[in-house]
Amino acid sequence: MSKNSSRILEILRNSGNYISGEEISSKLGISRSAVWKSISKLRDIGYIIDAASNRGYRLSEGIDLPISDEIHRYLDTEYFGSEIVYMKKVDSTNDLALTLARQSAAHGTVVTADQQTRGRGRKGREWISPQGVNLYLSIILKPEVSPAEASQIPVLSVVASIRALKRIVPDLPFMIKWPNDIYCRGRKISGTLCEMKAEIDSVNYVVVGTGININMKQSRDSIRDTATSLLIETGNKYSRVKITVFLLEEFEKIYRKWLSEGNLEFIIEEWNRFSLLKGLEVDVRTPTRIITGKAIGIAFNGALKLELPDGSVRMVYAGDATLHGTTAVN
Ligand code: BTN
């Protein structure tokens, strides 16, 4: 956002009511037409600014755009979100983040969007991404760890998402479904798609893309029975900006601890506490086969621990888990 737009936004916020174009132009020492141009740029971004003849401009309340200026009013992190690229409409925040990472974007750079036209889920699935209601966010990480260690990052991100959601709505029963989905009362509310560019022994970058259904009223027919949102669960609307801030703060905290500790031990108990499948008989579809067993938690390296019928314990590193004999989780 340009300096003029940012200063005008501040003036409109502080005024809380109509303020004339003339007053804004004299406060900033710029022409009336420069004021007008900046106002229309703010409107292009998505701000709703009322204009009334003889009264001037007024910022409509309750604007909740996950843009840099709004997030930085609250954000308290060192790296995560220092740079935020906001898109009104984008094919996928992960795709843009992957491009930026390749072009040497800094560690912690974040991409957010108001709408995705080709939101992507795991395994080539679609992530439904309507305009103006949910959170679509991708973080670029450049960890100095091995690719095997980087594969633990999804565990960090899902626990960060749970903590952020709990800060917003403490009483909702959020549960983690391995590997990194969040469910609420049997329907999915959040998912994460982690993508990595690596050499055999070093990581170039990781993009962690998280979608959280926040103010979506009703799921599209195709996902009505399987997806939910905070609004559907509580009847209330929540701030995308606040959830973004909480997510970045929690994620950075967990990420730093993970780097200093070198493994997931500090987070295993929390993960297991929120695990939807713990203690249940599940089928895990791996890239090569279906393994059936009792889910007994996750290991220090993020693998799902399955107790097999013969009593042995098997680690599963990648796949999709469902309740045994079904295609659903509940
Ligand atoms: C899944 O549950 O399969 C993962 C869903 C991940 C969706 C998010 S929304 C932000 C980011 N951009 C994408 O295209 N996907 C992720």
Side-chain angles (χ1 to χ4, degrees):
M1 185 186 300
S2 74
K3 206 165 166 198
N4 278 349
S5 298
S6 174
R7 287 157 79 200
I8 290 175
L9 193 57
E10 208 48 43
I11 291 173
L12 293 174
R13 263 195 204 115
N14 291 339
S15 135
N17 206 334
Y18 281 100
I19 177 164
S20 73
E22 199 175 338
E23 203 176 331
I24 299 175
S25 83
S26 77
K27 270 184 198 266
L28 296 181
I30 58 174
S31 68
R32 291 279 299 275
S33 91
V35 170
W36 185 84
K37 269 191 200 140
S38 296
I39 298 262
S40 55
K41 276 193 203 140
L42 286 168
R43 285 183 174 141
D44 284 346
I45 294 172
Y47 285 99
I48 299 171
I49 297 170
D50 308 323
S53 46
N54 300 327
R55 301 182 74 188
Y57 302 104
R58 184 181 64 176
L59 182 66
S60 173
E61 278 177 19
I63 291 301
D64 180 36
L65 293 172
I67 69 170
S68 170
D69 279 52
E70 297 292 336
I71 292 164
H72 284 145
R73 291 172 72 200
Y74 309 100
L75 187 66
D76 182 15
T77 57
E78 196 166 335
Y79 299 108
F80 284 26
S82 296
E83 277 299 320
I84 296 175
V85 177
Y86 167 77
M87 303 295 290
K88 203 168 170 184
K89 197 194 244 190
V90 72
D91 46 3
S92 149
T93 55
N94 262 38
D95 288 348
L96 179 55
L98 287 166
T99 305
L100 296 176
R102 208 166 36 239
Q103 295 165 349
S104 65
H107 171 70
T109 299
V110 163
V111 179
T112 58
D114 197 36
Q115 177 182 12
Q116 296 186 119
T117 51
R118 275 205 309 276
R120 295 189 289 114
R122 291 172 58 248
K123 309 236 152 75
R125 290 186 283 245
E126 178 191 11
W127 184 258
I128 292 170
S129 309
Q131 187 253 324
V133 284
N134 296 335
L135 180 66
Y136 318 113
L137 174 148
S138 301
I139 308 180
I140 297 168
L141 301 177
K142 301 199 163 169
E144 290 180 5
V145 299
S146 69
E149 286 166 320
S151 69
Q152 298 171 12
I153 289 176
V155 175
L156 309 177
S157 101
V158 77
V159 175
S161 298
I162 279 264
R163 286 191 189 174
L165 285 166
K166 282 274 174 197
R167 270 172 78 176
I168 286 278
V169 202
D171 297 333
L172 276 187
F174 299 110
M175 303 295 275
I176 299 171
K177 179 173 161 277
W178 183 83
N180 45 21
D181 295 340
I182 299 180
Y183 274 67
C184 185
R185 300 187 183 120
R187 290 188 292 176
K188 184 159 161 176
I189 202 157
S190 170
T192 295
L193 173 67
C194 289
E195 298 179 287
M196 171 161 79
K197 166 94 170 60
E199 312 292 323
I200 277 289
D201 55 356
S202 66
V203 172
N204 300 100
Y205 49 80
V206 177
V207 165
V208 183
T210 299
I212 303 182
N213 297 335
I214 300 177
N215 298 321
M216 182 165 79
K217 279 210 185 83
Q218 209 179 31
S219 316
R220 224 165 60 181
D221 279 354
S222 58
I223 54 165
R224 179 157 303 149
D225 296 337
T226 54
T228 189
S229 71
L230 291 181
L231 174 64
I232 294 170
E233 293 304 320
T234 65
N236 298 321
K237 285 194 165 182
Y238 293 89
S239 158
R240 294 186 293 172
V241 170
K242 287 268 167 63
I243 295 178
T244 304
V245 167
F246 290 170
L247 178 60
L248 295 176
E249 288 178 353
E250 296 300 336
F251 197 1
E252 182 173 281
K253 236 186 281 166
I254 292 175
Y255 179 82
R256 293 172 79 139
K257 182 130 173 107
W258 172 70
L259 279 187
S260 69
E261 307 247 321
N263 65 45
L264 295 170
E265 186 175 359
F266 72 98
I267 225 175
I268 297 284
E269 185 280 321
E270 192 174 355
W271 197 98
N272 283 334
R273 190 159 19 101
F274 288 110
S275 170
L276 183 64
L277 300 175
K278 190 155 181 270
L280 301 176
E281 199 72 10
V282 295
D283 296 326
V284 181
R285 282 169 185 75
T286 74
T288 50
R289 65 185 64 134
I290 296 176
I291 307 168
T292 298
K294 188 159 90 176
I296 55 175
I298 54 164
F300 287 0
N301 61 7
L304 180 68
K305 289 198 285 187
L306 279 187
E307 189 183 293
L308 303 185
D310 66 4
S312 65
V313 174
R314 169 108 181 234
M315 305 278 192
V316 187
Y317 292 90
D320 267 328
T322 50
L323 284 186
H324 178 49
T326 71
T327 50
V329 289
N330 61 342

